[in-house]
Amino acid sequence: MKRTKIRAALEAAGPMDEIVVMGWVRTKRDSKGFSFVELNDGSTLLNIQVVIDHTPEIESVLDRVGTGAAVQISGELVESPGKGQKWEIRGRTIEVFGEADQETFPLQKKRHSDEFLRTIAHLRPRTNKFGAMFRIRSELAQAIHKFFADKGFFYVHTPIVTGSDCEGAGEMFRVTSLEPGADASPDKDFFGKPAQLTVSGQLSAEMFALSLGEVYTFGPTFRAENSNTPRHVAEFWMIEPEMAFADLADDMDLGEEMIKFLITHILDHCPNDVELFAKWVDKGLMLTLENVLQDSFARLPYTEAIDILNKAGKSFEYPVEWGMDLQTEHERFLCEEQFKKPVYVHDYPKSIKPFYMRVNDDGRTVAAMDCLVPRIGELIGGSQREERLDVLLGRMGEMGLSEEDYWWYLDSRRFGSAPHAGFGMGFERMLMLVTGVTNIRDVIPFPRTPNSLEF
Amino acid sequence: MKRTKIRAALEAAGPMDEIVVMGWVRTKRDSKGFSFVELNDGSTLLNIQVVIDHTPEIESVLDRVGTGAAVQISGELVESPGKGQKWEIRGRTIEVFGEADQETFPLQKKRHSDEFLRTIAHLRPRTNKFGAMFRIRSELAQAIHKFFADKGFFYVHTPIVTGSDCEGAGEMFRVTSLEPGADASPDKDFFGKPAQLTVSGQLSAEMFALSLGEVYTFGPTFRAENSNTPRHVAEFWMIEPEMAFADLADDMDLGEEMIKFLITHILDHCPNDVELFAKWVDKGLMLTLENVLQDSFARLPYTEAIDILNKAGKSFEYPVEWGMDLQTEHERFLCEEQFKKPVYVHDYPKSIKPFYMRVNDDGRTVAAMDCLVPRIGELIGGSQREERLDVLLGRMGEMGLSEEDYWWYLDSRRFGSAPHAGFGMGFERMLMLVTGVTNIRDVIPFPRTPNSLEF
């Protein structure tokens, strides 16, 4: 007989004479003459309750069934007299696939710290919290693809191994096929030149936007930053849409629409899993999410943001002056205290932004934007791109970038150049927003951080 | 006024008094008193035809409009008197975003060789063929997510940077944050131990299948193989489903269902783009695809396949004997000549397969399967995994693998182990199947091969 997933069993339209479920035992309680088994198969947060009468045969099997064991149970799906569940199973047979030794199995029924669970990242998706997390992670990824596909954006796989450094700013991992300590001259190496792990697919995505119109990437990116903070990992996933024939206002519109779509989608599709986080992880989660959904995001130029900060009468750790990059304390003040909702700050000083952002008519700012969200800080960073070849070349000159290295990028401005804009969103940041989880290590299956490469 | 995508314009339900389109000029033909412009914006293979009357102002703009220029045209959408299109635009205004110098723009209206287009991979998506390719690539990726989401599989991002070598077989790229030539002792490096780019997410995916039930990965994988062939690249995308409570037959069922779903989806969603390949690239494409769709795949044990090959009366380059790995010539004979349809060969000799495949009762074969497809060869490779701790440890011992390195993998067999199975499919192989393209470099946006890391 075919297995029925527990999610489907719990949503059954009516009783079933014959049902087979398979999963991992969360708890077993023995009573006189029968036992209760709570079974979970990962298809949903919820367990199905199995009541199974004792016979000598059943009892000998139940002896081997403890928390964590993998079992198959057949029986009848019946209305549950208990509270909180519509259906339960009257078990007829139980078979053990794999036992879990109760002395050594690390996930006994009790709360475990996130720190401890990180040391068993291979087992933590069997807990309620991390099962919920990774179901939400999966659904959020589906939602991203759906959002862009519905709008006619094409998904592009930009390269992971790259010879170019998008941000013009270091901290990249090197990739090599040479042994450590071997003669490391690039011409002996696999690609015949230095190779790195990408920090952004933007430059490649621009080539596709200027061909297919509207595109997005969704793939892993890397930073070799030696920071051990709750917000940094060496490997994370990023979404980068890029639109031809679009300006900075279009870019902000797209970002706002996307964020709202994703939150709505997760609330609709993962109610049980989100509820777990709202109950146990962040009591304010629902308010935060409603706050993001209910109103238009504030939009203000950087220059105005500096004014507001200067007039706020706050003593910031980093003094506020025009030309500085906004620090987390400033960003949090703007969205949490001043506007009390998500805020786009746009038109940043040219001097603190990369070469590819479009220079505004004032000559000293660029058409850049950051989307700041309560509790998370920067969720999105984007810009209209510089489509004018002469201005772009001027900027590259100022910043000491070699035209030769970017010959192909510059070609897109030589041949049929057009206004275009895009942004990047860290996938894990978005997950932290929708779950309230504050450590990025707890939203990634197997996080990569300095001195940590287990699993 | 808002831009209308050309795909939407061509599918309009009725005429429109006002329309604005933006895109790249494919051709311009001047007549007495008016000009024809064929415009493409990447949203579809098809161009929209614009007829625009000459006025002194229009003529001065048209002088700057050649093949490859990016323009905005406003006008009226009217029924086309011409053949092959329902709608055309009577242009009123034309504005140039970016010109394309007709002397130096490499994509003049003529056929270009694939070899040449690889040297301008940043511009080739502006051609009909590569525009079609990358729209199909995008749709195929969407179809994969849809297929698994509809079946209740969860999408898992397994790590790209890894400390473990899934296949137990080398050819991996190293990842380091150390400068070339620096003291390369692993304890000085970012992760404090040797790090590589993943060749497969399977081992990690197994951990999630044994928690969430049914999962899949879809991400980049890497091989540092120094092979310059039409079938090898250093970076490619792979899909790896993994199912708890499943055996080898379930695994083959899933693969067959997936392949058929993907082909059907692409035929339904990308008819124009597929037609281009059927017309210009592979005249037999439609027959190949229909052949895959119309019948059940053949399934036969390896031992039987060896028998058939031995009795085939063919002189193969590699002599056939039990225990050998099948070569391309054998695989092609089986699916192209013997069965004339896709073939699953299963239950391969243990000695030629990795440690994690489940040992069959005969003790000399494992529950492995390869799906062989006409023209492509191996499209899918998978297995039921060894869930029995003692057997797995025995296999690892035979193969000299360290238990310590795989402590977390072994944990999954210590605690609630269960039968499970999965497979890997190369995304690019599938794209080659649905387009008939024979060089893998032509199905990837920016291919990575030995001595080639441009863009």
Side-chain angles (χ1 to χ4, degrees):
Chain A
M1 245 202 86
K2 258 206 121 44
R3 161 191 181 217
T4 298
K5 287 191 184 178
I6 289 171
R7 180 177 175 160
L10 293 173
E11 292 170 357
M16 295 164 69
D17 291 343
E18 297 282 349
I19 188 169
V20 176
V21 291
M22 305 181 195
W24 293 270
V25 172
R26 285 297 170 81
T27 53
K28 183 189 68 167
R29 281 180 298 126
D30 297 316
S31 264
K32 212 177 155 64
F34 61 94
S35 294
F36 289 107
V37 174
E38 292 280 334
L39 197 67
N40 188 288
D41 68 0
S43 64
T44 165
L45 178 68
L46 307 172
N47 305 326
I48 197 156
Q49 177 169 279
V50 181
V51 187
I52 189 160
D53 288 336
H54 292 171
T55 64
E57 203 188 343
I58 293 283
E59 278 184 294
S60 74
V61 180
L62 281 174
D63 280 348
R64 297 165 53 219
V65 173
T67 296
V71 301
Q72 164 172 332
I73 292 172
S74 72
E76 188 179 354
L77 188 75
V78 298
E79 274 192 68
S80 176
K83 263 185 287 192
Q85 70 238 354
K86 188 162 177 219
W87 301 107
E88 64 179 34
I89 291 176
R90 301 240 28 131
R92 273 188 215 115
T93 68
I94 178 163
E95 189 187 319
V96 179
F97 292 122
E99 300 179 45
D101 180 75
Q102 298 302 293
E103 298 298 311
T104 55
F105 181 56
L107 291 175
Q108 289 305 319
K109 179 100 190 156
K110 61 163 191 163
R111 284 197 82 171
H112 301 279
S113 73
D114 291 335
E115 290 74 18
F116 169 70
L117 291 174
R118 274 173 225 146
T119 68
I120 50 166
H122 59 305
L123 296 175
R124 67 179 177 171
R126 291 196 201 170
T127 65
N128 281 343
K129 178 172 172 181
F130 286 92
M133 173 57 76
F134 295 119
R135 279 186 298 270
I136 291 177
R137 187 175 169 112
S138 172
E139 194 59 46
L140 187 63
Q142 300 290 353
I144 284 162
H145 287 299
K146 183 171 164 45
F147 176 76
F148 287 112
D150 286 353
K151 297 183 87 69
F153 282 58
F154 299 106
Y155 179 33
V156 183
H157 291 134
T158 50
I160 309 301
V161 179
T162 174
S164 69
D165 170 352
C166 175
E167 303 275 326
E171 307 273 36
M172 296 176 85
F173 286 105
R174 283 202 305 120
V175 174
T176 174
S177 63
L178 301 173
E179 293 297 319
D183 172 5
S185 36
D187 59 313
K188 296 225 168 77
D189 209 340
F190 189 90
F191 295 109
K193 60 189 275 197
Q196 290 92 32
L197 290 181
T198 186
V199 296
S200 159
Q202 179 199 315
L203 302 194
S204 311
E206 284 186 52
M207 301 305 101
F208 275 75
L210 292 171
S211 311
L212 302 185
E214 295 179 328
V215 302
Y216 69 106
T217 72
F218 183 10
T221 52
F222 304 85
R223 298 284 151 83
E225 257 177 287
N226 205 340
S227 336
N228 247 317
T229 83
R231 295 161 55 93
H232 289 87
V233 280
E235 176 180 325
F236 53 97
W237 284 63
M238 193 141 75
I239 295 98
E240 297 182 278
E242 192 73 34
M243 298 178 284
F245 314 115
D247 62 17
L248 192 67
D250 298 322
D251 209 27
M252 290 192 277
D253 289 348
L254 181 74
E256 182 167 345
E257 188 185 345
M258 180 187 72
I259 291 168
K260 289 176 171 174
F261 175 89
L262 296 177
I263 292 174
T264 306
H265 183 99
I266 291 300
L267 292 174
D268 286 351
H269 288 75
C270 307
N272 295 328
D273 291 326
V274 171
E275 196 190 330
L276 178 148
F277 290 96
K279 194 164 171 189
W280 300 106
V281 173
D282 175 4
K283 300 264 186 224
L285 180 62
M286 289 305 183
L287 277 177
T288 302
L289 298 181
E290 279 159 27
N291 172 267
V292 176
L293 288 181
Q294 77 197 356
D295 203 357
S296 299
F297 295 4
R299 299 185 188 193
L300 76 163
Y302 166 91
T303 301
E304 208 173 294
I306 292 292
D307 270 1
I308 289 173
L309 291 167
N310 269 326
K311 290 176 185 153
K314 284 276 213 179
S315 69
F316 292 113
E317 193 186 335
Y318 294 86
V320 174
E321 58 173 339
W322 200 97
M324 72 182 298
D325 211 352
L326 297 184
Q327 302 296 319
T328 306
E329 56 177 343
H330 310 129
E331 296 179 343
R332 294 192 66 158
F333 174 81
L334 288 171
C335 60
E336 293 173 17
E337 298 187 45
Q338 179 73 19
F339 292 99
K340 298 191 172 62
K341 64 179 182 178
V343 175
Y344 276 118
V345 177
H346 54 85
D347 296 316
Y348 281 81
K350 182 173 79 166
S351 55
I352 57 172
K353 290 291 183 185
F355 75 98
Y356 51 72
M357 296 190 174
R358 191 175 197 279
V359 178
N360 288 324
D361 290 347
D362 64 16
R364 59 181 212 148
T365 63
V366 289
M369 58 89 160
D370 281 350
C371 182
L372 315 174
V373 173
R375 299 198 198 196
I376 299 294
E378 185 192 323
L379 181 57
I380 276 180
S383 68
Q384 185 170 343
R385 318 307 186 184
E386 184 56 77
E387 87 281 14
R388 297 162 296 186
L389 182 62
D390 54 336
V391 182
L392 188 61
L393 287 171
R395 286 280 283 154
M396 289 176 66
E398 281 169 23
M399 298 172 86
L401 297 173
S402 136
E403 286 183 35
E404 218 173 294
D405 289 350
Y406 292 90
W407 68 271
W408 52 274
Y409 187 71
L410 293 167
D411 260 8
S412 67
R413 275 61 170 176
R414 283 189 190 106
F415 305 117
S417 186
H420 60 291
F423 63 76
M425 178 180 78
F427 182 60
E428 283 77 15
R429 287 268 171 95
M430 188 70 206
L431 259 175
M432 291 164 81
L433 176 64
V434 297
T435 59
V437 164
T438 53
N439 194 313
I440 193 171
R441 290 170 179 78
D442 297 333
V443 305
I444 298 184
F446 298 102
R448 271 46 182 127
T449 52
N451 289 308
S452 172
L453 188 65
E454 208 52 75
F455 313 110
Chain B
M1 244 203 88
K2 258 208 120 42
R3 162 190 180 217
T4 297
K5 286 190 186 179
I6 288 171
R7 179 177 173 158
L10 292 174
E11 291 171 357
M16 295 164 70
D17 291 344
E18 297 282 349
I19 189 169
V20 177
V21 290
M22 307 180 194
W24 293 271
V25 173
R26 284 297 170 81
T27 53
K28 183 189 69 168
R29 282 179 298 126
D30 297 317
S31 264
K32 211 176 156 69
F34 60 94
S35 293
F36 289 106
V37 173
E38 293 280 335
L39 196 69
N40 187 287
D41 67 1
S43 64
T44 164
L45 178 69
L46 307 172
N47 304 325
I48 197 156
Q49 177 169 279
V50 181
V51 187
I52 190 161
D53 288 336
H54 291 171
T55 65
E57 202 187 344
I58 293 283
E59 278 184 294
S60 75
V61 179
L62 282 174
D63 280 347
R64 297 166 52 220
V65 172
T67 296
V71 301
Q72 164 172 330
I73 292 171
S74 72
E76 187 179 355
L77 188 76
V78 297
E79 274 193 67
S80 176
K83 265 185 285 192
Q85 70 238 353
K86 189 163 177 215
W87 302 106
E88 64 179 33
I89 291 176
R90 300 239 32 130
R92 276 189 211 112
T93 69
I94 178 163
E95 189 188 318
V96 179
F97 292 122
E99 300 178 45
D101 180 75
Q102 298 303 293
E103 298 298 310
T104 55
F105 182 55
L107 291 176
Q108 289 305 320
K109 179 99 189 156
K110 61 163 190 159
R111 284 196 83 173
H112 301 280
S113 73
D114 291 335
E115 289 74 17
F116 170 71
L117 291 173
R118 274 172 225 146
T119 69
I120 50 167
H122 59 305
L123 295 175
R124 66 179 177 170
R126 291 196 202 169
T127 64
N128 281 344
K129 178 173 174 181
F130 286 92
M133 173 58 75
F134 294 119
R135 279 187 298 270
I136 292 176
R137 187 175 170 112
S138 172
E139 194 59 46
L140 187 63
Q142 299 289 354
I144 284 162
H145 287 299
K146 183 170 165 44
F147 175 76
F148 287 112
D150 287 353
K151 296 183 88 69
F153 282 57
F154 299 106
Y155 179 33
V156 183
H157 291 134
T158 51
I160 310 300
V161 179
T162 175
S164 70
D165 170 352
C166 175
E167 303 276 325
E171 309 272 34
M172 295 176 85
F173 286 104
R174 283 201 307 119
V175 174
T176 175
S177 63
L178 301 173
E179 293 297 319
D183 172 5
S185 37
D187 59 311
K188 297 225 169 79
D189 209 341
F190 190 90
F191 295 108
K193 60 188 274 195
Q196 290 92 31
L197 290 181
T198 187
V199 296
S200 159
Q202 178 200 317
L203 302 194
S204 310
E206 284 185 53
M207 301 304 102
F208 275 74
L210 292 171
S211 311
L212 302 184
E214 295 180 328
V215 302
Y216 69 106
T217 73
F218 183 9
T221 52
F222 305 85
R223 299 282 152 84
E225 258 177 286
N226 205 339
S227 337
N228 247 317
T229 83
R231 295 161 56 94
H232 288 87
V233 281
E235 176 180 325
F236 53 97
W237 284 63
M238 193 141 75
I239 295 98
E240 297 181 278
E242 192 74 33
M243 298 178 283
F245 313 115
D247 62 17
L248 191 67
D250 297 322
D251 209 27
M252 291 192 277
D253 289 347
L254 182 74
E256 182 168 343
E257 188 185 344
M258 180 187 74
I259 291 168
K260 289 176 172 175
F261 175 89
L262 296 177
I263 291 174
T264 306
H265 183 99
I266 290 301
L267 292 174
D268 286 351
H269 289 75
C270 307
N272 295 329
D273 291 326
V274 171
E275 196 191 330
L276 177 148
F277 289 97
K279 194 163 171 189
W280 300 106
V281 172
D282 176 3
K283 300 265 185 223
L285 180 61
M286 289 305 182
L287 276 177
T288 302
L289 298 180
E290 279 159 28
N291 172 266
V292 176
L293 289 181
Q294 77 197 359
D295 203 356
S296 300
F297 295 4
R299 299 185 187 193
L300 77 163
Y302 167 90
T303 302
E304 207 174 296
I306 293 291
D307 269 2
I308 288 173
L309 291 167
N310 269 325
K311 291 177 185 150
K314 284 275 212 180
S315 68
F316 292 114
E317 193 186 335
Y318 294 85
V320 174
E321 59 174 336
W322 200 97
M324 72 182 299
D325 211 351
L326 296 184
Q327 302 296 320
T328 306
E329 55 177 344
H330 310 130
E331 297 179 342
R332 294 192 66 158
F333 174 81
L334 289 171
C335 60
E336 292 173 17
E337 298 186 46
Q338 178 74 19
F339 291 99
K340 298 191 170 60
K341 65 179 181 179
V343 174
Y344 275 118
V345 177
H346 54 84
D347 295 316
Y348 281 80
K350 183 173 79 167
S351 54
I352 56 172
K353 290 292 182 184
F355 74 98
Y356 50 72
M357 296 190 175
R358 192 175 197 278
V359 178
N360 288 324
D361 290 346
D362 63 16
R364 58 181 211 149
T365 62
V366 289
M369 59 87 161
D370 282 349
C371 182
L372 315 175
V373 173
R375 300 196 197 199
I376 299 294
E378 185 192 324
L379 180 57
I380 276 179
S383 68
Q384 185 170 344
R385 319 307 186 184
E386 184 55 77
E387 87 281 13
R388 296 162 298 185
L389 181 63
D390 54 336
V391 182
L392 188 60
L393 287 171
R395 285 280 283 155
M396 289 176 67
E398 281 169 23
M399 298 171 86
L401 298 172
S402 134
E403 287 183 35
E404 218 174 292
D405 288 350
Y406 293 89
W407 68 271
W408 51 274
Y409 186 72
L410 294 167
D411 259 9
S412 66
R413 275 62 170 176
R414 283 189 190 105
F415 305 118
S417 185
H420 61 292
F423 63 76
M425 179 181 78
F427 182 59
E428 283 76 14
R429 287 268 171 96
M430 188 70 206
L431 260 175
M432 290 163 80
L433 176 64
V434 297
T435 59
V437 164
T438 53
N439 195 314
I440 192 171
R441 290 169 179 78
D442 297 333
V443 306
I444 298 184
F446 298 101
R448 271 45 182 128
T449 53
N451 290 308
S452 172
L453 189 65
E454 209 52 75
F455 313 109

